Amino acid sequence: MKLEGTVIAAHGRHYLVELPDGGTLPCFPRGKKSELACGDRVSVARSSATQGVIDAVLPRRTLLYRSNEFRQKLIAANVTRVVVVVATEPSFSEELVTRCLVAAESQDIGVLIVLNKCDLADRLPAAEAALAPFSSLGYPILRLSARAGAEALRPHLAGQTGVFVGQSGMGKSTLINALVPEANARTREISEALDSGRHTTTHAALYRLPGDSSLIDSPGLQEFGLHHLSVPEIEHGFREFRPWLGSCRFRNCRHDREPGCAIRAAVEAGGIAASRYAAFRALRGESRPS
Ligand code: GDP
Ligand code: ZN
């Protein structure tokens, strides 16, 4: 009998699938190459009382992943909101934030930036300065302290499937534990099902929240390669570029040294920040040929 379920934890080729009755089943994919992510909807057949086989992945509405030259790593499927978690301390990488935003924009997924540890008042001005370029582009920023005020995030997740992305140390676990009372129990369940009780690995995991929302916690990122994006996808990922796209003299303009480049003209006129143009060039330099 086929069941439809949701991948709620992933570890190598071993997945924990939530079934319609709310129970969970450790599963392997049938195909050799199929790679799945938390949030994937799958069709499952029981192969024994305690194990299942994933026969098919249902079409994904969104897929967030990162890649370098050699391989890609899925982060989460079917998410509707990317929550970029940064903190006042330790200082965060603005480049990593840019990459998270471009990845989300390329899939047309809404974004929320959470600035955590706002109780560390002396660190706040530097963090605000680092976030100012993103705020002036219209990205919403929620300021909170996960230790005392994680609840402020809950309304932003209502009805959404969110995914936390960010460097480690920013407070993702603290936020999850405050918002999901059964998070620790879930972590134990995942470890038992997927790596025989060893608590050695950090998994991506999907948690259900009241109000028809879900939250996927992904392991801390130190880098977010976007080799899989084409140049048009990267252009689209810089939201302030969009009004000028299509206005360059050459249709295949790389916005480099071409005459009549509308993007370069906008940078020179101050409509696009020079730092964002530099970030675009860096990402374009690593993108796949199109
Ligand atoms: P993760 O690596 O992103 O999961 O980060 P953690 O949740 O493990 O938090 C990293 C460190 O920051 C821990 O020592 C937390 O206690 C601390 N931390 C988390 N949230 C806050 C906060 O709101 N204020 C302060 N001062 N520290 C926090
Ligand atoms: Zn151009």
Side-chain angles (χ1 to χ4, degrees), residues 65 79 85 96 114 124 144 190 199 208 223 232 271:
Y65 63 105
V79 299
V85 183
L96 196 78
V114 169
L124 200 50
L144 53 72
I190 292 169
H199 289 261
R208 300 290 183 193
E223 50 183 20

Side-chain angles (χ1 to χ4, degrees), residues 87-263:
T88 54
E89 186 184 73
S91 57
F92 58 88
S93 157
E94 290 151 57
E95 183 192 334
L96 196 78
V97 173
T98 298
R99 287 169 178 271
C100 293
L101 298 179
V102 170
E105 295 275 13
S106 73
Q107 294 275 305
D108 285 321
I109 308 173
V111 176
L112 174 68
I113 298 174
V114 169
L115 175 59
N116 184 28
K117 309 195 201 181
C118 287
D119 52 300
L120 303 175
D122 56 328
R123 310 293 305 221
L124 200 50
E128 291 286 5
L131 287 179
F134 304 112
S135 145
S136 62
L137 290 169
Y139 289 106
I141 298 175
L142 177 67
R143 296 160 179 87
L144 53 72
S145 165
R147 281 193 184 159
E151 286 300 319
L153 179 55
R154 211 182 282 279
H156 296 269
L157 298 170
Q160 306 279 344
T161 299
V163 59
F164 277 176
V165 292
Q167 293 159 263
S168 52
M170 298 290 134
K172 293 199 303 300
S173 319
T174 308
L175 276 171
I176 292 269
N177 287 322
L179 293 173
V180 189
E182 66 279 13
N184 282 324
R186 170 52 65 82
T187 307
R188 276 194 302 279
E189 180 193 351
I190 292 169
S191 288
E192 276 159 26
L194 299 190
D195 47 34
S196 343
R198 282 176 290 121
H199 289 261
T200 45
T201 16
T202 44
H203 305 281
L206 181 147
Y207 304 95
R208 300 290 183 193
L209 300 179
D212 196 25
S213 43
S214 308
L215 190 53
I216 296 173
D217 187 23
S218 67
L221 298 169
Q222 294 308 336
E223 50 183 20
F224 201 136
L226 294 172
H227 288 251
H228 55 284
L229 295 184
S230 65
V231 170
E233 285 168 329
I234 295 171
E235 291 169 345
H236 181 76
F238 285 76
R239 53 161 61 171
E240 73 276 33
F241 286 22
R242 291 179 201 165
W244 284 283
L245 295 176
S247 306
C248 300
R249 184 178 307 165
F250 300 111
R251 198 186 51 80
N252 60 352
C253 184
R254 288 174 55 83
H255 321 306
D256 202 353
R257 289 194 185 83
E258 294 86 347
C261 172
I263 297 290

